[in-house]
């Protein structure tokens, strides 16, 4: 038995030195030390030994097992370490590699202006509402007190889908929806794209952006309108900016006015930009909500009154950033957009 144990040890240690793979090592472990392995088979013959031989053979068998297990354990650790470094070498990320970085963009000047306007009105207690770009003729014209023969209803001035649907020509239909759904009192602004078949030039485009505001409550008057707009304009352009209100006509407001602001270049002193008038282009239109519009939306015009205002966001963006041509806002030329 002693010779068998020594032979098992020498054979196992010799094979261990030749193994280069964890799977092969496991196969050898099972073959030598497993439940049906060579060493286990020898130990089962211990019962045939005399009482004096058993302790000696038991001690030798344990020494053989310990030596084989130690050699296998050492080889296993070595192979696992090599395998780990092999995997690491294959999965290593070279952080020194030079790659083209993606350039992050920024908000379009139009979007910057819209956010600035909305945040300004939110700070004044207004809520922001939205509405669809495809509107009904009823909301876009009828409920806004627009006469059946009004020029804006012509096919040359409006994009129609059919007799009942069109691309909204202004954001005022959002006011109609809000009055019908929420009622009074009400204090809202709404911004978005609007559409008219305008010929493209330096200041006109068939697609443009508007922001409109509406206040409905008891005892609202023209003074409230002018005070609100004056605060808004000074917050937007500066405390030294002056406003000028000129009478105008809109079907949905009465009385109505257009609002000019003093020239941003010379601050009202007169320069080439404003043709020495001291005034810049018209900024917005406004007026007291027509009683017919209130009644069309189910609001008692005897109890409530209100004011509304609307402005072209494209125009404000052009004034604010000194942009000479509206086409620049829609051409997506990075040479232009990177300036903002």
């Amino acid at each position: 038995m002693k010779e068998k144990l020594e032979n098992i040890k020498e054979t196992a240690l010799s094979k261990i030195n030749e193994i280069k793979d964890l799977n092969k090592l496991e196969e050898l472990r099972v073959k030598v030390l497993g439940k049906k392995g060579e060493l286990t088979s020898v130990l089962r013959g211990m019962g045939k030994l005399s009482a004096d031989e058993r302790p000696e053979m038991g001690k030798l068998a344990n020494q053989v097992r310990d030596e084989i297990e130690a050699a296998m354990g050492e080889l296993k650790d070595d192979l696992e370490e090599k395998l780990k470094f092999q995997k690491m070498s294959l999965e290593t990320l070279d952080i020194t590699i030079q790659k083209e970085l993606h350039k992050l963009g920024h908000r379009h000047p139009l979007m910057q202006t819209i956010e600035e306007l909305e945040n300004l009105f939110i700070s004044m207690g207004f809520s922001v509402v939205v509405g669809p770009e495809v509107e009904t003729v009823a909301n876009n014209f009828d409920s806004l007190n627009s006469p059946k023969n009004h020029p804006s209803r012509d096919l040359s001035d409006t994009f129609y889908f059919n007799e009942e649907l069109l691309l909204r020509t202004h954001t005022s239909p959002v006011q109609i929806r809000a009055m019908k759904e929420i009622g009074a009192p009400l204090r809202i602004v709404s911004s978005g794209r609007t559409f008219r078949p305008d010929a493209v030039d330096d200041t006109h485009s068939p697609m443009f952006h508007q922001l409109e505001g509406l206040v409905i409550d008891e005892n609202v008057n023209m003074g409230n309108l002018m005070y609100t707009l004056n605060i808004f304009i000074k917050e937007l352009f500066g405390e030294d900016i002056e406003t000028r209100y000129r009478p105008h006509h809109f079907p949905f407001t009465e009385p109505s006015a257009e609002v000019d602001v003093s020239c941003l270049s010379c601050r009202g002193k007169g320069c080439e930009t404003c043709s020495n008038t001291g005034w810049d282009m018209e900024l917005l239109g406004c007026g007291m909500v027509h009683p017919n519009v209130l009644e069309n939306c189910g609001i008692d015009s005897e109890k409530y009154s209100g004011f509304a205002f609307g402005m072209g966001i494209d125009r404000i963006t052009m004034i604010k950033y000194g942009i000479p041509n509206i086409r620049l806002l829609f051409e997506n030329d990075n040479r232009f957009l990177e300036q903002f």
Side-chain angles (χ1 to χ4, degrees):
M1 181 171 286
K2 182 177 180 180
E3 292 179 359
K4 287 184 178 180
L5 290 174
E6 291 291 345
N7 185 50
I8 290 173
K9 181 181 75 170
E10 292 176 5
T11 302
L13 293 178
S14 176
K15 290 183 177 180
I16 288 173
N17 291 330
E18 298 174 357
I19 290 176
K20 306 295 183 183
D21 180 79
L22 284 171
N23 292 329
K24 296 294 184 182
L25 180 62
E26 178 61 16
E27 290 177 4
L28 180 62
R29 185 195 69 79
V30 173
K31 180 181 179 181
V32 178
L33 304 178
K35 292 182 179 180
K36 298 181 180 179
E38 296 174 356
L39 183 60
T40 305
S41 298
V42 173
L43 293 177
R44 286 174 181 161
M46 292 281 288
K48 299 178 181 179
L49 299 176
S50 64
D52 294 334
E53 292 178 316
R54 286 176 193 167
E56 182 181 355
M57 290 300 103
K59 181 179 179 181
L60 179 60
N62 288 333
Q63 289 176 350
V64 170
R65 178 183 292 278
D66 290 344
E67 287 187 44
I68 295 174
E69 286 182 342
M72 286 185 172
E74 184 178 348
L75 178 59
K76 182 180 180 182
D77 291 342
D78 184 55
L79 291 176
E80 287 179 342
E81 187 72 11
K82 289 180 180 178
L83 182 60
K84 181 178 73 174
F85 280 104
Q86 184 181 4
K87 288 184 177 180
M88 289 176 61
S89 65
L90 295 174
E91 299 173 0
T92 297
L93 176 64
D94 184 0
I95 61 173
T96 64
I97 191 171
Q98 297 294 324
K99 298 192 70 175
E100 182 180 353
L101 298 177
H102 292 287
K103 186 175 180 181
L104 295 178
H106 55 77
R107 302 291 278 170
H108 190 283
L110 268 173
M111 297 301 103
Q112 293 182 35
T113 302
I114 290 174
E115 289 180 357
E116 184 178 357
L117 294 176
E118 289 181 345
N119 289 336
L120 202 160
F121 281 109
I122 288 173
S123 70
M124 296 169 66
F126 286 76
S127 298
V128 177
V129 296
V130 295
E133 295 177 354
V134 176
E135 258 297 356
T136 63
V137 172
N139 285 340
N140 196 83
F141 290 126
D142 298 338
S143 295
L144 284 164
N145 200 42
S146 178
K148 296 293 183 181
N149 61 350
H150 196 277
S152 63
R153 290 177 177 258
D154 290 346
L155 292 174
S156 60
D157 287 334
T158 300
F159 292 107
Y160 285 92
F161 292 101
N162 53 46
E163 293 182 357
E164 297 180 354
L165 291 176
L166 47 74
L167 287 175
R168 64 183 182 186
T169 60
H170 44 193
T171 48
S172 298
V174 181
Q175 299 180 15
I176 297 298
R177 289 174 175 272
M179 283 189 282
K180 289 180 178 179
E181 294 174 10
I182 302 173
L186 191 64
R187 187 183 299 183
I188 61 167
V189 291
S190 177
S191 62
R193 296 189 299 179
T194 54
F195 308 86
R196 297 175 193 173
D198 290 340
V200 178
D201 58 28
D202 289 357
T203 58
H204 294 86
S205 170
M207 187 275 291
F208 54 99
H209 299 74
Q210 281 191 341
L211 181 141
E212 299 203 16
L214 174 70
V215 174
I216 304 292
D217 210 334
E218 297 183 41
N219 302 316
V220 174
N221 55 51
M222 195 72 178
N224 301 135
L225 167 61
M226 296 175 68
Y227 179 77
T228 300
L229 293 181
N230 286 342
I231 290 179
F232 155 68
I233 290 170
K234 289 183 181 296
E235 286 290 331
L236 184 64
F237 296 119
E239 286 292 332
D240 58 340
I241 294 298
E242 299 294 329
T243 55
R244 179 175 66 183
Y245 292 78
R246 294 180 286 103
H248 195 70
H249 170 71
F250 299 111
F252 33 84
T253 54
E254 181 61 37
S256 305
E258 289 185 336
V259 183
D260 301 329
V261 295
S262 53
C263 179
L264 299 183
S265 299
C266 65
R267 316 309 270 191
K269 296 178 181 178
C271 65
E272 292 184 1
T273 301
C274 62
S275 301
N276 293 312
T277 64
W279 295 96
D280 220 319
M281 68 176 81
E282 170 210 344
L283 183 68
L284 57 88
C286 63
M288 300 301 297
V289 179
H290 198 291
N292 289 349
V293 175
L294 296 176
E295 295 294 340
N296 289 339
C297 296
I299 296 176
D300 186 355
S301 61
E302 295 294 329
K303 179 179 180 181
Y304 293 102
S305 57
F307 64 78
F309 54 88
M311 63 197 78
I313 300 174
D314 315 78
R315 178 173 295 182
I316 291 179
T317 304
M318 293 171 68
I319 294 174
K320 185 174 178 62
Y321 294 107
I323 299 172
N325 193 314
I326 195 172
R327 297 180 182 91
L328 293 170
L329 295 175
F330 306 120
E331 290 176 343
N332 293 325
D333 190 331
N334 276 336
R335 294 171 299 178
F336 167 74
L337 295 176
E338 286 174 353
Q339 300 177 50
F340 305 94

